[in-house]
């Protein structure tokens, strides 16, 4: 009897959490689009996180092979992950054998909870960053996306991924360990179909985000990705493309950003003066161009000023 009484509060709490999760269900309306043989992606909004989109600003993707399904990123919440898993099941009855987190930003890993943790993989540095920053990211997402986050808990990948070749059925995937958008970024190149899953090293029709960026490393990673000559490019945000346009667009933004910040620091401008600078017309058309430029100035300009001062 004592043991039953001891368990009762915990059971009650679990029941309340379950009821709250069910009451706060959010329909992401995920609709996978087939890009080519065995290859699908789900395109997210190019807007900011909001209650309306439930944090769905990310592209996720999957490849169906004879040995099972390979998934790229799990989305921004438990509910997204569960709905992604259900969407995959509508297309194939093959098991999900691996889910890659391309980096540690919340919209790319908070759906992990929906999958068997043993199948979820990321580069070692990414796993460490998820463990370090995951709780803070999750709390912020609850504030930004509301009920869509119900039931979401941080679930770090259960397996380390490493650069190299992964063969699944007839598909040969090249895993590339890169950096620049974050301290460690995973890109996945399907050599069989020529499809590049670039994670957030690549943006398309949306201005890149830079909270953890190292611009020189990011540009070097884009050089590496461009040399693959992919037939199809799936960015972390924005529409997929049958050309390298997303790589070129991301590079153009980063090069303009770095040049603007460096020249401004050399001229001794303060942040407000930097923010008053115009964005080139072709880049100004990107979604969230002005707001991401504002964020990038706050993220990167103090270090750029210090660098110029120490030269």
């Amino acid at each position: 009897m004592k043991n039953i009484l001891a368990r009762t509060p915990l059971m009650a709490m679990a029941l309340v959490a379950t009821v709250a999760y069910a009451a706060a269900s959010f329909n992401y309306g995920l609709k996978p689009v087939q890009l080519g043989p065995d290859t699908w992606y789900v395109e997210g909004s190019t807007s900011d996180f909001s209650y309306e989109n439930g944090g769905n600003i990310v592209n996720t993707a999957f490849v169906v092979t004879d040995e099972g399904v390979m998934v790229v990123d799990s989305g921004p919440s438990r509910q997204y992950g569960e709905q992604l898993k259900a969407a995959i099941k509508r297309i194939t009855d093959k098991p999900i054998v691996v889910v890659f987190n391309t980096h540690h930003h919340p919209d790319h890993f908070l759906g992990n909870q929906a999958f068997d943790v043993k199948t979820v993989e990321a580069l070692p540095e990414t796993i460490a960053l998820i463990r370090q920053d995951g709780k803070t990211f999750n709390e912020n997402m609850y504030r930004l996306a509301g009920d869509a986050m119900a039931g979401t808990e941080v679930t770090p990948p259960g397996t380390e991924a490493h650069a190299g070749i992964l063969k699944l059925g007839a598909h040969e995937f090249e895993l590339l360990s890169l950096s620049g958008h974050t301290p460690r970024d995973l890109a996945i190149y399907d050599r069989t179909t020529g499809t590049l899953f670039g994670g957030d090293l690549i943006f398309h029709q949306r201005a890149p985000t830079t909270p953890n960026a190292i611009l020189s490393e990011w540009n070097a990673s884009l050089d590496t990705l461009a040399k693959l000559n992919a037939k199809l490019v799936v960015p972390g945000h924005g529409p997929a493309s049958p050309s390298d346009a997303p790589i070129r667009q991301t590079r153009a933004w980063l090069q303009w950003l770095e040049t603007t910040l460096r020249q401004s620091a050399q001229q001794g401008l303060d942040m407000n003066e930097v923010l008053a600078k115009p964005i080139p017309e072709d880049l100004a058309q990107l979604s969230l161009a002005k707001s991401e430029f504002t964020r990038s100035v706050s993220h990167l300009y103090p270090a750029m000023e210090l660098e110029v001062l120490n030269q």
Side-chain angles (χ1 to χ4, degrees), residues 217-233:
E217 293 183 11
W218 197 338
N219 278 306
S221 292
L222 290 176
D223 289 341
T224 298
L225 297 180
K227 290 175 183 175
L228 295 172
N229 294 313
K231 296 178 182 177
L232 181 69
V233 176

Side-chain angles (χ1 to χ4, degrees), residues 284-304:
Q285 295 173 4
L286 301 181
S287 179
L288 302 180
K290 182 59 178 176
S291 59
E292 289 300 350
F293 176 52
T294 300
R295 291 178 186 130
S296 291
V297 171
S298 67
H299 297 151
L300 303 174
Y301 194 56
M304 187 70 76

Side-chain angles (χ1 to χ4, degrees), residues 45-147:
S45 168
T46 55
S47 59
D48 269 328
F49 295 122
S50 70
Y51 278 44
E52 289 72 29
N53 62 36
N56 182 18
I57 67 168
V58 64
N59 292 342
T60 56
F62 58 96
V63 178
V64 180
T65 80
D66 292 338
E67 292 184 28
V69 182
M70 184 278 289
V71 179
V72 181
D73 286 323
S74 62
S77 70
R78 169 184 172 177
Q79 295 189 76
Y80 183 102
E82 290 175 346
Q83 291 173 38
L84 175 61
K85 189 164 62 173
I88 294 170
K89 192 172 182 179
R90 291 195 296 269
I91 290 167
T92 178
D93 59 0
K94 289 185 169 58
I96 294 170
V97 293
V98 61
V99 179
F100 288 112
N101 294 156
T102 57
H103 60 291
H104 79 294
H105 286 166
D107 45 328
H108 296 262
F109 80 84
L110 282 174
N112 287 356
Q113 194 178 354
F115 300 89
D116 179 351
V117 70
K118 296 190 298 295
T119 68
V120 182
E121 298 190 18
L123 296 168
E125 298 93 333
T126 297
I127 296 175
L129 286 166
I130 288 173
R131 288 176 175 153
Q132 172 185 296
D133 299 332
K135 183 179 178 181
T136 300
F137 281 148
N138 196 31
E139 290 172 352
N140 286 339
M141 287 296 291
Y142 268 86
R143 287 190 284 270
L144 294 169
D147 286 350

Side-chain angles (χ1 to χ4, degrees), residues 202-264:
I202 307 175
F203 285 68
H204 192 206
Q205 303 304 337
R206 187 198 190 283
T209 60
T210 60
N212 304 115
I214 303 173
L215 298 183
S216 59
E217 293 183 11
W218 197 338
N219 278 306
S221 292
L222 290 176
D223 289 341
T224 298
L225 297 180
K227 290 175 183 175
L228 295 172
N229 294 313
K231 296 178 182 177
L232 181 69
V233 176
V234 182
H237 300 268
S241 173
S243 73
D244 66 349
I247 297 176
R248 289 186 282 107
Q249 192 178 77
T250 303
R251 187 196 305 281
W253 176 275
L254 296 180
Q255 290 181 341
W256 164 75
L257 177 64
E258 183 168 20
T259 298
T260 298
L261 297 183
R262 187 172 300 280
Q263 289 179 349
S264 296

Side-chain angles (χ1 to χ4, degrees), residues 146-170:
D147 286 350
M149 298 302 298
T152 303
E153 297 175 359
V154 176
T155 305
T159 304
E160 290 186 355
H162 297 278
I165 301 301
L166 170 67
K167 293 184 178 180
L168 287 176

